[in-house]
Amino acid sequence: MAVDPNKLKVILVTDCGSTTTKAILIEYQNGEYRQTTRGEAPTTVEKPFEDVTKGVLNSVREVEELSGRKILNGDDIITPADGLTGVDIYMSTSSAGGGLQMMVAGVVKSMTGESAARAALGAGAIVMDVLASNDGRLPHQRIERIRHLRPDMILLSGGIDGGTITHVAEMAELIAAADPKPRFGTSYRLPVIYAGNKDAREIITKTLEAKTALLIKDNLRPVLERENLTPARDAIHDVFMEHVMAHAPGYKKLMAMAHEVPIMPTPGAVGLMIQSLAKAEHIAAVGVDIGGATTDVFSVFFDKGTGNDVFNRTVSANLGMSYSISNVLAEAGIANIMRWVPFEMDEAEVRNRIRNKMIRPTTIPQTQEELQIEQAISREALRLAFVQHKSMAVGLKGVQQERTISDAFEQTGSGETLINMMDLKILIGSGGVLSHAPRRVQSALMMIDAFQPEGITTMAVDSIFMAPHLGVLSTVHAKAANEVFLKDCLVRLGSCICPTGHGKEGQPCLTVRFAKADGTKVEENIKAGEMKHLALEENVKAMVVPAKGFDIGAGKGKEMEVALEGGTVGLIIDGRGRPLIIPEDKKERIRKLSEWNQALGVYPK
Amino acid sequence: MAHAYTPGLKVTEKTLIKKDRRLPLKGQVIVKKGDQVGSDQIVAKTELPGNVQPVNVSGLLGLLAEDVPSHMLKKIGDPVAKDETIAESKGFFGLFKSSCKAPVTGTLESVSSITGQVILREPPMPVQIKAYIDGQVTEVSQAEGATVEAYGSFIQGIFGVGGETNGDIKVVAADPSQELTIEMLTPDCKGKVVIGGSLIKFGALKKAAEVGAKAVVVGGIDDADLKKLMGYDIGVAITGHEEVGLTLVVTEGFGQMSMAGKTFKLLKSKEGLKASVNGATQIRAGVMRPEVIIPLSSQDLGGEAVKEAGGMEIGSAIRVIRQPYFGKIGKVSALPHELQKLESESHARVLEVTFEDGAKAVVPRANVELIED
């Protein structure tokens, strides 16, 4: 049943997270959609409740109390809205129960394997492993891996339409031989989605039909030059609903409550919201959500190869600030963490503190020292997650590219990352360490240090993690979702100007000139190696003049008129150059870090 | 949220301990409801399907994949022995035949005419589940497992490595603040659950494994020593399957940390008794902490009621679990309602604690744990 967006004036959305269920009420008032009330309650998927709807109803009851609107009639949601009773629609997202864990398989790892992984990630899954004919493992090792991991479902692709069927048939045989059991219960068969060479469908069916719940979909890489991920992604959502969610406690009831719009995996919904924003504003965007266990990165960039905006999502399943904090240490190394700590500290002590946070994940920094260590670790978690994202968000590999003479000067191979930091226009952060940093400028600097934006970039944080709710809403009412996202969900931090290039410390780097609405003229000169902060709440047009050797997007030393967005932090001018180099000498490093922190007012004196 | 503090680790002299002993797949439960079982007794067993071994017959015999089925000497379902010939090429007039041998013993599971692969499955692998604690079987789930119950002392640690084991308790540290050193690990620690004080270093851990100690229980360990023991940096706290020669239970945290007085006293009072120990730790979804269980024989059971942990209130005994007062023990002396600004400039719900020496401090509620009775 299609939902008529024009009839939606009172909207109720919940997100069932692994620890809390959050409900929001969105209402159409005075010609615009606004989020009016929020409620939350502990999630009730695990013992002793084992029924997700209990937490949902509790969070909705809080919304009822705070808004004065009667929404529930017993355990039923009243629809449609009539005066102060009922809502027009109810929908939900969920990541409870560990989210959606998938394994994907393709023929060539960097081609169909990667496309399959992109399809799964984009649908909101955690990809546990990518199997491919050329992944360097022996067949029995692959079988062992499938048996060991127990995914919620497998996405099998491989071969372009009309291409070879042998390899994909072999992958299917391995899956059949592994006879995989799903993670939850032994009562149902593991769902396998096949989205590969259409000529192999018959063989795949023969091989897998008896042992798995097989679903055949359009090839996700029908020709080398094109990915067709939507059918596979939709199938993942359907299977998530029908098989995985249906077996989680209370989800049948939840599905009946939210019957008009399918329940969506939380990260899938966040991805939709970022896409919706990028599309509405025609900009390249990066969003990051850093949690306790995982870090998700979302991006929308223009692919010159295909001429389309491309959405990508990656999950760094073991990079996070509490449960996975030790893994940040393991992957980044202690030296990389220490380079962000602006004071002397024994490395062994830092290592012990990281471990103690892992085993007591709910504790919070009480002192400045603790806070600064935690923010140092977060920079590395964010940096590593972004490195992973860049390697995944790439153009299609294996594609012969046509070049014109004008391309000769910017030769790019196929499969190069789509992430161009100079093109990036908005960087959105969410997750405890970014959303709840005591000073907003701390969030801004963590993102600048970790992502190293170039040129002019607007920064924002999702203060109350409403992106999942708005993502699922965007499937039926994109305008309402965008309005609420911009007005109630995002806290605009302001802009940063980050020229690329390097200069000797103290030499000129950049000049910025602009006039405020009240007529005040501002001119700032930044030296290389320096950072500056200007309070700026309004949006202004500015002239930015980089010094010789520096570039803000128009070319080295070329000035540019730019739009600067103001915000709670204002304007940050980063004269440290790109790529960012942190001094290796400990004393010098601490001196520079302290200088930058002081210039920006990051920590109290 | 109302419960913005960590529910403390359990350190209880007498409590009812229930252990679910489940098979990974359906199988056979050997014990009956009411049976008395010992920790090493098998309560259930099953067989996991054997590993599979693909054999590229078309490649080995130089055949087209579609011709593989007609060259097989064995049918699907047939048993095969290691090195037994399973397929043969026809050769010229019976000459120059090449053959393909089974790399493992098992059964022939499938033959593919698309890929030319033949899949052999090795014999099933037996899996046995032991009782783990001395106790009584109180529940049997058909074909799935059983529940073993016992009254006993129960001590949760904060972090551990290594799986289930058991042995008699031997306390080697004189007090909870003493480091467990190499010299304390004498040959008579063999087969024992060795109790130390505030710290154990890598050398002593190695020595403990060498003398054959079953488990070590200490207050703290340095991260660098844990890394040496494991051979790698632990990424995510999901442990229990390590094979490091013994089971390690850390009761307080990383760094040198005196074992909580109550824990040490309780363990000391059980010296010589048999303990079941498990280092398995899982901090995500469905928290699992390492544990020491000392089942008590029925005559030891007094009339003491087993208290359930209540909420936090004024007078509750707590331990601070993060800097700057990490490890200090005290009593809650005030529970202000409003959020307060911390030195880190975050706003959080706090409590005032009066430490054992009378000093007072304000700490976030998230940074303390209840010391449970």
Side-chain angles (χ1 to χ4, degrees), chain A residues 77-90:
Chain A
I77 288 169
I78 304 166
T79 54
D82 181 11
L84 272 177
T85 307
V87 296
D88 292 317
I89 192 168
Y90 166 65

Side-chain angles (χ1 to χ4, degrees), chain A residues 97-389:
Chain A
L100 167 61
Q101 305 190 1
M102 287 183 69
M103 231 170 147
V104 304
V107 169
V108 180
K109 197 175 170 91
S110 63
M111 289 157 70
T112 43
E114 214 169 85
S115 293
R118 272 196 285 266
L121 286 162
I126 289 172
V127 174
M128 306 164 92
D129 201 354
V130 181
L131 298 176
S133 302
N134 68 335
D135 61 11
R137 285 178 279 198
L138 295 169
H140 73 268
Q141 289 171 323
R142 292 191 202 120
I143 291 169
E144 244 174 62
R145 189 82 183 137
I146 301 171
R147 291 176 69 171
H148 176 70
L149 287 179
R150 299 185 80 161
D152 292 324
M153 69 177 96
I154 296 179
L155 172 63
L156 171 64
S157 74
I160 52 170
D161 284 344
T164 170
I165 57 171
T166 319
H167 292 102
V168 68
E170 187 187 11
M171 295 308 292
E173 281 168 17
L174 296 183
I175 294 171
D179 195 7
K181 298 276 174 280
R183 192 159 54 109
F184 291 119
T186 45
S187 57
Y188 73 111
R189 287 184 296 169
L190 183 83
V192 174
I193 299 167
Y194 175 67
N197 183 355
K198 64 179 195 292
D199 298 348
R201 285 179 184 174
E202 201 178 315
I203 291 141
I204 301 289
T205 308
K206 221 171 108 189
T207 316
L208 288 174
E209 202 176 32
K211 289 194 167 173
T212 64
L214 182 67
L215 209 76
I216 307 253
K217 290 282 146 187
D218 286 350
N219 193 350
L220 53 79
R221 193 84 181 254
V223 287
L224 268 186
E225 292 74 15
R226 193 164 59 82
E227 267 181 353
N228 176 29
L229 303 182
T230 312
R233 274 186 189 158
D234 291 347
I236 293 169
H237 281 160
D238 292 347
V239 173
F240 175 69
M241 286 287 295
E242 286 165 26
H243 293 259
V244 185
M245 283 288 95
H247 289 82
Y251 275 82
K252 278 202 177 128
K253 264 160 86 181
L254 184 64
M255 282 153 74
M257 281 165 75
H259 59 95
E260 287 181 276
V261 181
I263 298 169
M264 204 176 269
T266 303
V270 176
L272 280 183
M273 192 58 242
I274 303 273
Q275 286 179 81
S276 175
L277 175 77
K279 196 170 159 195
E281 306 217 339
H282 305 289
I283 50 172
V286 165
V288 60
D289 175 25
I290 176 164
T294 62
T295 298
D296 281 49
V297 181
F298 307 85
S299 72
V300 179
F301 277 90
F302 184 70
D303 182 357
K304 288 177 190 145
T306 61
N308 293 322
D309 279 332
V310 179
F311 165 70
N312 272 290
R313 163 179 176 254
T314 51
V315 195
S316 300
N318 286 327
L319 292 174
M321 289 306 294
S322 60
Y323 304 107
S324 309
I325 194 166
S326 282
N327 206 54
V328 180
L329 171 65
E331 287 196 17
I334 188 76
N336 274 329
I337 289 173
M338 293 304 291
R339 71 189 170 129
W340 302 113
V341 178
F343 45 80
E344 289 242 19
M345 183 145 203
D346 182 25
E347 280 185 13
E349 172 68 21
V350 174
R351 294 181 68 106
N352 280 341
R353 287 195 191 190
I354 292 173
R355 294 282 186 247
N356 282 321
K357 169 86 183 189
M358 165 185 79
I359 55 178
R360 290 181 165 108
T362 52
T363 59
I364 58 173
Q366 181 174 1
T367 61
Q368 273 301 322
E369 184 187 83
E370 286 274 292
L371 178 78
Q372 293 176 30
I373 294 172
E374 207 153 298
Q375 295 189 342
I377 302 163
S378 82
R379 283 170 166 85
E380 282 304 299
L382 292 167
R383 180 183 69 82
L384 290 169
F386 198 46
V387 167
Q388 288 185 9
H389 185 78

